[in-house]
Every structure is written in structure tokens, then in C-alpha cells.
Amino acid sequence: MTDPDVPAVRAFWQALGLPGLFDAHVHFLPPNIQRAVYAQFDAAGPKIGREWPIRYRQDHAERVEILRAMGVRRFPTLPYAHKPGVAAYLNEWAAGFARDVPESLWSATFYPEESAAAYVKELVRAGVEVFKVHLQVGEFHLDDPLLDGVWGTLEDAGTPVVVHAGSGPVGNDFTGPGSTERLLRRFPRLTLLIAHMGAPECEEFLDLAARHERVHLDTTMVFTDFFPAYPSQLVPRLRDLGHRVLLGSDFPTIPYPYAHQLEGLARLDLGDDWLRRVCWENGAALFGPGPR
Ligand SMILES: [Zn+2]
């Protein structure tokens, strides 16, 4: 069952002298929902916008083994809700996964709904390590009034929130930097991790990160051949923000071998120290280096 992609991934982090990889953007969803996500990508429907042949379609136990074999030592599961009323179910499943897979980050989501403030508070108290929200799929703004009771809790707790706010792959009225900017004006100490570097609004999200010391960026898919090229004039600024850029993959929903995105980071030519920060040290600093 050894995945053919394993050796190239291990060679990458071993050459850097790292203990493995810290991947800040991995998804594990309940099997019925995971199947629905795969079907969306297979159909290359209007929210996907292009052919997207998913490479990793094993059941979740096998996918955990692939990550372990590749040396991905820490990763979240990042559930996200597409409508009201499902976050609680996703969160319950994710809590079980976190108990079963000790190196995973206990992940949860929330949605603009009356109950959000209460369940987020309870999850934070219980020790959830990361939240995920997806503005394109969920079709809401970060500053939706139904989330007003959530952000103060998260700002005080410092719990990182992975936000898919950029308009890739297909934008809608809810994507783009607008609601993130408005939210950070009210809650400037929030710990956010902007998925996909905010692509395609890369510059706007880089500006937000430069202005807010707890705003981070994840590299998910951005530097691969599958994504439009990252604006080359922004690359030197990634060096300055190197302590707040984190490796992300989007495993399993990716159309290329896991190692390809690592090549994409290496060819930015920002040096081995930068790669060590991005691929391990920054994740370990933000979430902690070891299993709970
Ligand atoms: Zn994702």
C-alpha cells in the first residue's frame, strides 16, 4: 500500500534536516460528506470551474497512513459547513477523528447561525486547536452579524482560524478581502491563517498580513503548476513575512502528487531557512510541535 509519492516527500524534508512536515491545510471529512466533495470536483461544476482529477481517494484510514508514511507529522482536518445546522455534526465527527489520530490538530468549524457563539465558546473551552471557514462554499461574510459573538472569543483565545476568503477557484459575492479587512478593523488581534495565500487577491491579503501580526498565510496549491502563477513582484515580500507563511496542501483534494507543491516552494528560491520555517517551524510555533 506504499504510495508512490512517499520517497520524494521524505527526501525533501530529510534534506532540510527537519523532523517531518507540518501541513496546516489538510481535510478529513465524514465519509458521506467527503464523497459529496469528491463528486463536486469530479463534475468540475460551476464552483470548481475546471477539470480537477483528485489524486488521493483512499478511505480515511489509508489517507492517514499515507500522511504518516510521507512524514507529515502534524495536520488539521478542517471541516467546513455549506449551510446552517451542519457545523455541530461536522464538529462531533472531527472531535472523534482527533481522538483517534493523536498527531492531528483538533479542528472545528462554525457558520452564521444563532447557536454559533455558544458552540464556539464551548469548543474553545474544550481545547479545539483550529477552526476553518470557507466563504465561497458557505456563502457568508466574515462580519456577518450572526458571527458577532464568535470573534471576541476567538480573539481572546488566540485559536487560529483558517479562512478561505480568496476568490479562487471561482469567486462569488462573498469572496475577496473585503470582509476580512472589515473584521480585522474590529478584531485586530485575531489569529487568522489565510488559505491559498488569499489567491487570486494575493497582494491584498499579503498587505493584511503585513499590517496584522497574527495574520498568517498558507501556501495551499499556490506555487504549483496547477494554479495561476503567484505574482513574482510579491515573492520578495514572502521572505520578510517568512515567519508567518505555513505549508498547506489541501490533501486529499489535489490533482498532482503531494511532492509537487514542495518543488513549487523550493523553486521560489527563498533559501533553506525559509523552507524550514514554512514546512515545520512556523506550524510548530503556532500550534505546538507534538501530539496532544
Ligand atoms: Zn482546503
Side-chain angles (χ1 to χ4, degrees), residues 25 27 78 80 132 134 164 196 220 250:
H25 196 130
H27 295 285
L78 303 185
Y80 51 92
K132 162 78 186 257
H134 198 312
H164 184 134
H196 308 280
T220 304
D250 241 347

Side-chain angles (χ1 to χ4, degrees), residues 22 160 216 243 246 277 280-289:
F22 198 125
H216 301 65
H243 53 302
L246 278 71
R277 286 171 142 189
W280 180 262
E281 292 162 12
N282 295 341
L286 188 58
F287 296 103

